[in-house]
Amino acid sequence: MSVEKRIFVRLPEEIAGRVIDLAKRADAAAVRSAKLPAGDLTEAFRFESLHGVIDQLAVASLGGGQPHEIILHEPENEELSGPSLYFRDMASRATPPTETIARWVDEGSVVVELQIPHFPGTTQVSGQPGKGPPQPAKRWMSSGGRGKEAVRERFEFLLTQAVQGAGNEASIRPSGISNTVLTESLRAYTCELPEQPRADVPVIYRDGSQGRPFPLRSLRMFGDSPNTTKTLKFALMSIRHVELDVEVDGAWLRNTKISKPRPAGLTDEIVFETSLKQLNRLTDNGPVLIHMYQTGLETAIVGFYRALVIHLLDRPNSVAVVPYFYQARGAFSPGTVWRAR
Amino acid sequence: MTYEHICAKRGLIAPAGLTEFLLTDFANRLNELLYRPNLESRRQALSLDWAFDLLKDSAITPPPNLLPLLPVDESSIACAVCDEADGSESSADVPVIRWHLNKVDQRFQGACLDTSAIAYVRSVAEELIERDWGLKEISRLADRYQKEYASTDRRPAGWATRPVQIACQNVIVGLAAFAHNSSFDGLRVPVYLTCEVPHLATHEANRALSALMLCDAFQNGGTMEVRFGKFGMPPALRRFGRSLGIALGTTEANVLDPVEARELFLAITPMPSELWTRVIAAMDSGLISPERLCYSLLAPVWSTIELDYLLATSARIASILEGGAPFNLRRARLAELESARAALMIGMLFRRLDNKDVAAVASGRSFEDTRVGVEWIIAEDTGVVTFAASSGGAPWTDPQREFVQIGASGLLHIIPRALPTPVDYQLAARLQETTRDAVALLVPNDMREVVPPHVPLLLCPDRLAEIDIAIARKFNASLVGRS
């Protein structure tokens, strides 16, 4: 394996201004990226392409005989965010690693850092030799149920392990779980139980991405619908069931914003943040009963109900949700109400 | 006459149990296929004597200890490899090979079909019993899929039963249906059918279909368990497993359990021996799961040479295969990008070297497989890739520099760098001094001006930004591949 080293290139004055400008634009792109919805990589790509030009200019300077210094790679520097260069206005971000580089910066030069993995030599292999790959997954055998019942049995087994904090299985794995089973099982395990403390259980999707922990065993739930005058009907996602458009007051989430190829944990996060905001706004003027007509997108269901639980923990009795599940031929059937007092 | 008599006449020991097999219901199913010892006339197409004559007339002379069992297809025969008679007991564990009657590349002649003659003939009979039902079922599933998804342009979810078909040169060699099932968090495969055809290597249909099946199981998440339809584990797949030395269906007859799935996934993913060694080391260090690695190669997120390069030269392989470091941690990101850029450029160059362009010699451009079998070696401590190609001019030579000419040795040493440094120029000079082979630095198209004129150069057709876009796609494919 070749060796990773850090090259610090002192740029010639004639391109320093241009590079500072590129670095500022890259920095601004990074700041804008943090404000974008999770998974939107537009500004990330902008940052990368701007930095790509900085790197090319640094390499050209290096080839042109500009002063440079090479030091070994230090893993602790990896957490430094933003453009990897040093000049006086940006010096506070990272301390120059050597006296020479500090002197160059003091003299007003711009120094670009390149972490290059191709220096000749033998590096230590990463990982732990002898550790071995992760064990193959264990098989799941249902107690005899088939179809939806078998799915429910497996999911509730995982939820039981999760609230008990049993080993690696202490997580909610909603991928592939049907709409009804996911919603109803989550509701059942969100109910407070006398013997069991609240458990904030990580949510892990099958692509390996994670959502925020889901607060299980956290709410005193009631099965009856509240007597409220304000009832609103929502489709959980727009476009998915257009026949509902005449029935509902609106769509809770916009399909175009949610259904994008990205890690599931990020979609969950977008749904969670959107739902939390909307729940707060909706309940500002008194309690609301929501009839939620659901589609089977797991990230939308988990994100929405996590937001609901967090909202109810803060403002109990402000909202109740009756889930409606899609059945064959366009019909919807109601599920158990989510209500806490 | 029995198999024993016929084998004894030829100084061979017949596989144990073969004569008894003729009395079973399975043998009845093979009525039109099995070469029988009790048909004496050489003119009868199913007599053993007739089959021996076929073998004798084959383009490549077969070894004398082959006992023809049944035809594999119209131009090859399944033969038991019998022991010579030396007084020892007969055994059922007599391997079965496929003997091609026409001229084929020596590599493909005599490939293992099964490890036991009895298991082979029985599994072929079982396969034929299942086939009629399987063909009707796949047709039914395909009609339903057409109606529910294809005709309405709907994208099926992982749990939908999706028919798949593998064809090679317009010949269908594999049919199956896949559906993720959350009740056991694995893949349900109601139908799995394959066949051998003259123009494909032995078990290639099984290799391709099981690769598709395991990639689907990985993509849909879950435990990697595969449960088969009403006939249980497909006989062809079990036979394929035996030929690879992997027992399948050991925990339950109709189940490929996660341990077996892992073993099969690794066995069917093509890897050169050097890559295999690196893969073993990476798995031993706990860096990557075998399933992710096989999926990355078969999907293919990374091609074989790209992955080999990354494993050989980057300490960051785990992060790269999981989608890369966050963009704003520029230092880590650049180190990963540089490795990935080099791997990508090397992959492009390899495909260029390995493909004979037939446009110049044919009346039209052919898109058939035109690979010429270029091999490579990667020097881990320098990140230099040496290709064994044919002599002549190297592709992608910079017209403003000296032409890079591959000499009689056919060796071409490439230093792939997206951001080349003086260290790389020195490395190129050293290689030029120490070898008589062609040496070149390989850089993105927009890095030409950066490299001093004395350094031999190959220019990748893509610019740095284009290479980065391709890498971003690969990183994203790694992130969302399993969803």
Side-chain angles (χ1 to χ4, degrees):
Chain A
M1 232 169 254
S2 50
V3 180
E4 207 169 288
K5 288 187 182 175
R6 301 161 73 193
I7 310 179
F8 296 84
V9 188
R10 184 181 189 175
L11 299 186
E13 263 179 49
E14 55 269 26
I15 63 165
R18 188 178 161 205
V19 168
I20 288 171
D21 180 49
L22 286 167
K24 284 181 177 167
R25 285 166 59 195
D27 218 10
V31 172
R32 284 197 299 276
S33 177
K35 293 177 187 166
L36 289 177
D40 188 334
L41 298 176
T42 317
E43 294 298 332
F45 287 140
R46 200 185 310 277
F47 174 92
E48 284 217 312
S49 68
L50 287 164
H51 217 302
V53 179
I54 295 175
D55 296 343
Q56 282 177 309
L57 289 168
V59 165
S61 305
L62 189 66
Q66 277 296 115
H68 65 276
E69 195 161 12
I70 299 174
I71 63 174
L72 269 175
H73 157 60
E74 291 157 26
E76 59 270 24
N77 289 303
E78 302 223 329
E79 295 306 315
L80 291 172
S81 62
S84 53
L85 78 168
Y86 301 80
F87 63 96
R88 252 188 301 208
D89 293 353
M90 290 181 80
S92 57
R93 174 170 289 148
T95 315
T98 68
E99 284 181 13
T100 311
I101 299 165
R103 182 164 50 76
W104 291 343
V105 173
D106 283 344
E107 288 167 7
S109 292
V110 175
V111 179
V112 174
E113 177 183 351
L114 302 167
Q115 194 149 311
I116 300 288
H118 287 131
F119 282 85
T122 308
T123 56
Q124 283 192 332
V125 181
S126 51
Q128 299 167 27
K131 183 183 172 192
Q135 289 298 309
K138 285 182 193 153
R139 288 183 65 203
W140 165 258
M141 308 284 284
S142 81
S143 61
R146 294 174 69 87
K148 202 179 271 186
E149 276 317 302
V151 175
R152 185 191 306 278
E153 186 187 348
R154 189 180 72 81
F155 188 56
E156 292 191 348
F157 168 78
L158 293 175
L159 285 175
T160 305
Q161 286 203 313
V163 290
Q164 291 168 354
N168 292 333
E169 302 296 340
S171 59
I172 299 172
R173 292 170 183 269
S175 301
I177 307 297
S178 71
N179 190 353
T180 321
V181 172
L182 182 55
T183 311
E184 292 292 312
S185 302
L186 278 179
R187 189 202 175 280
Y189 278 79
T190 303
C191 284
E192 212 176 63
L193 284 185
E195 298 293 310
Q196 289 185 9
R198 169 175 162 166
D200 287 275
V201 180
V203 175
I204 301 175
Y205 292 93
R206 68 166 60 120
D207 62 4
S209 63
Q210 292 201 16
R212 290 182 192 219
F214 198 102
L216 298 180
R217 299 287 179 240
S218 59
L219 278 178
R220 288 189 67 201
M221 302 269 252
F222 300 89
D224 56 329
S225 288
N227 296 320
T228 173
T229 51
K230 194 170 165 188
T231 300
L232 291 169
K233 291 179 181 177
F234 286 104
L236 182 60
M237 293 261 277
S238 65
I239 304 296
R240 292 287 176 109
H241 292 290
V242 284
E243 72 274 15
L244 274 178
D245 288 357
V246 291
E247 304 280 337
V248 296
D249 298 300
W252 191 258
L253 302 165
R254 290 185 68 196
N255 195 35
T256 175
K257 200 174 162 191
I258 304 301
S259 302
K260 283 191 173 172
R262 63 180 156 228
L266 292 178
T267 304
D268 173 329
E269 182 65 15
I270 294 169
V271 175
F272 172 74
E273 284 180 356
T274 310
S275 301
L276 203 57
K277 268 186 223 157
Q278 291 178 175
L279 283 169
N280 281 330
R281 221 175 291 158
L282 268 183
T283 53
D284 274 347
N285 299 320
V288 182
L289 172 64
I290 294 174
H291 289 192
M292 186 60 80
Y293 291 79
Q294 295 185 183
T295 52
L297 187 68
E298 304 93 341
T299 46
I301 294 169
V302 174
F304 171 73
Y305 282 103
R306 186 196 295 107
L308 178 66
V309 175
I310 299 287
H311 178 86
L312 285 173
L313 282 168
D314 188 36
R315 296 165 67 180
N317 220 11
S318 62
V319 63
V321 175
V322 182
Y324 279 79
F325 306 115
Y326 181 77
Q327 307 292 307
R329 295 186 192 90
F332 280 81
S333 70
T336 315
V337 62
W338 289 61
R339 185 184 176 209
R341 274 200 293 256
Chain B
M1 289 287 269
T2 62
Y3 285 110
E4 283 76 10
H5 286 120
I6 289 190
C7 284
K9 273 206 295 190
R10 292 173 171 263
L12 302 172
I13 305 172
L18 208 51
T19 299
E20 292 76 9
F21 176 80
L22 289 178
L23 306 172
T24 65
D25 287 344
F26 290 114
N28 290 337
R29 184 70 202 189
L30 297 176
N31 253 346
E32 304 296 317
L33 294 170
L34 207 58
Y35 298 129
R36 289 168 185 270
N38 46 359
L39 301 175
E40 290 184 9
S41 166
R42 280 173 189 268
R43 276 172 294 177
Q44 286 185 269
L46 287 176
S47 76
L48 256 179
D49 285 338
W50 184 78
F52 275 119
D53 285 348
L54 272 183
L55 272 184
K56 201 172 70 184
D57 294 339
S58 66
I60 300 171
T61 310
N65 60 338
L66 297 188
L67 172 68
L69 296 174
L70 46 88
V72 175
D73 54 40
E74 55 268 39
S75 62
S76 62
I77 292 177
C79 300
V81 185
C82 300
D83 288 332
E84 286 176 16
D86 57 359
S88 56
E89 290 281 301
S90 67
S91 159
D93 293 334
V94 174
V96 179
I97 62 164
R98 180 185 185 192
W99 196 262
H100 292 271
L101 302 176
N102 300 326
K103 192 162 186 189
V104 294
D105 191 321
Q106 195 63 46
R107 290 178 292 162
F108 303 118
Q109 187 61 285
C112 177
L113 277 166
D114 207 332
T115 52
S116 153
I118 292 296
Y120 176 73
V121 288
R122 192 188 156 108
S123 75
V124 173
E126 286 172 340
E127 199 179 347
L128 294 177
I129 291 168
E130 188 181 328
R131 186 167 289 170
D132 291 341
W133 174 85
L135 287 170
K136 280 183 198 144
E137 183 64 5
I138 199 80
S139 172
R140 188 183 70 80
L141 293 171
D143 286 346
R144 200 171 76 185
Y145 182 85
Q146 176 69 23
K147 195 172 150 197
E148 291 180 6
Y149 297 100
S151 64
T152 54
D153 270 348
R154 278 177 65 208
R155 192 178 162 198
W159 47 261
T161 304
R162 290 155 287 128
V164 296
Q165 169 182 301
I166 294 180
C168 180
Q169 294 179 15
N170 288 335
V171 180
I172 296 169
V173 294
L175 289 165
F178 305 142
H180 180 77
N181 190 311
S182 293
S183 67
F184 61 94
D185 202 18
L187 195 72
R188 189 170 284 287
V189 179
V191 185
Y192 178 104
L193 301 170
T194 55
C195 64
E196 302 283 357
V197 291
H199 63 282
L200 268 188
T202 305
H203 280 308
E204 196 58 15
N206 281 312
R207 195 191 69 76
L209 197 55
S210 54
L212 260 183
M213 178 180 82
L214 292 172
C215 282
D216 201 282
F218 179 83
Q219 250 181 320
N220 283 304
T223 61
M224 295 295 292
E225 177 182 336
V226 181
R227 291 191 188 174
F228 293 96
K230 68 174 190 174
F231 288 95
M233 172 86 65
L237 186 60
R238 263 204 317 261
R239 192 165 67 231
F240 178 46
R242 286 195 297 269
S243 76
L244 296 169
I246 304 168
L248 304 178
T250 52
T251 47
E252 222 176 297
N254 72 332
V255 169
L256 183 72
D257 71 30
V259 178
E260 294 167 351
R262 174 175 286 189
E263 223 179 325
L264 184 62
F265 216 176
L266 281 169
I268 60 173
T269 306
M271 289 185 230
S273 58
E274 283 205 355
L275 173 59
W276 178 247
T277 309
R278 291 185 178 117
V279 162
I280 293 289
M283 288 193 303
D284 178 61
S285 303
L287 287 173
I288 33 177
S289 82
E291 290 82 6
R292 179 169 288 279
L293 190 129
C294 294
Y295 177 79
S296 296
L297 277 171
L298 289 169
V301 180
W302 296 98
S303 70
T304 308
I305 190 169
E306 289 165 354
L307 189 65
D308 198 11
Y309 187 84
L310 290 171
L311 280 165
T313 62
S314 176
R316 297 174 181 271
I317 184 70
S319 173
I320 290 171
L321 289 186
E322 284 170 7
F327 79 94
N328 59 334
L329 302 183
R330 184 64 190 170
R331 290 153 181 86
R333 180 79 171 180
L334 178 61
E336 289 175 9
L337 271 179
E338 263 302 281
S339 295
R341 288 163 175 167
L344 199 85
M345 289 193 295
I346 272 296
M348 289 170 75
L349 179 63
F350 169 70
R351 284 189 290 280
R352 176 68 183 80
L353 289 170
D354 196 37
N355 270 286
K356 185 172 59 182
D357 189 349
V358 294
V361 291
S363 53
R365 187 169 289 239
S366 164
F367 290 95
E368 296 292 326
D369 188 355
T370 52
R371 284 176 293 178
V372 291
V374 168
E375 293 184 347
W376 72 84
I377 295 174
I378 299 166
E380 298 182 346
D381 55 351
T382 53
V384 174
V385 182
T386 301
F387 289 108
S390 47
S391 56
W396 300 352
T397 302
D398 180 7
Q400 294 168 15
R401 294 171 197 246
E402 200 179 329
F403 204 59
V404 177
Q405 188 73 26
I406 305 172
S409 69
L411 297 181
L412 172 64
H413 305 285
I414 295 292
I415 308 163
R417 303 288 188 263
L419 297 175
T421 66
V423 178
D424 303 317
Y425 312 147
Q426 289 158 16
L427 177 62
R430 202 169 65 239
L431 280 171
Q432 278 184 306
E433 281 168 23
T434 53
T435 70
R436 292 181 168 205
D437 312 318
V439 175
L441 191 66
L442 172 62
V443 298
N445 205 281
D446 51 350
M447 295 301 282
R448 170 199 280 151
E449 305 302 329
V450 169
V451 182
H454 65 273
V455 180
L457 194 66
L458 297 188
L459 284 174
C460 175
D462 287 353
R463 292 171 301 163
L464 188 69
E466 290 159 346
I467 291 171
D468 282 355
I469 289 169
I471 291 167
R473 275 199 210 107
K474 285 177 183 285
F475 281 174
N476 200 43
S478 301
L479 277 173
V480 300
R482 200 171 203 204
S483 56

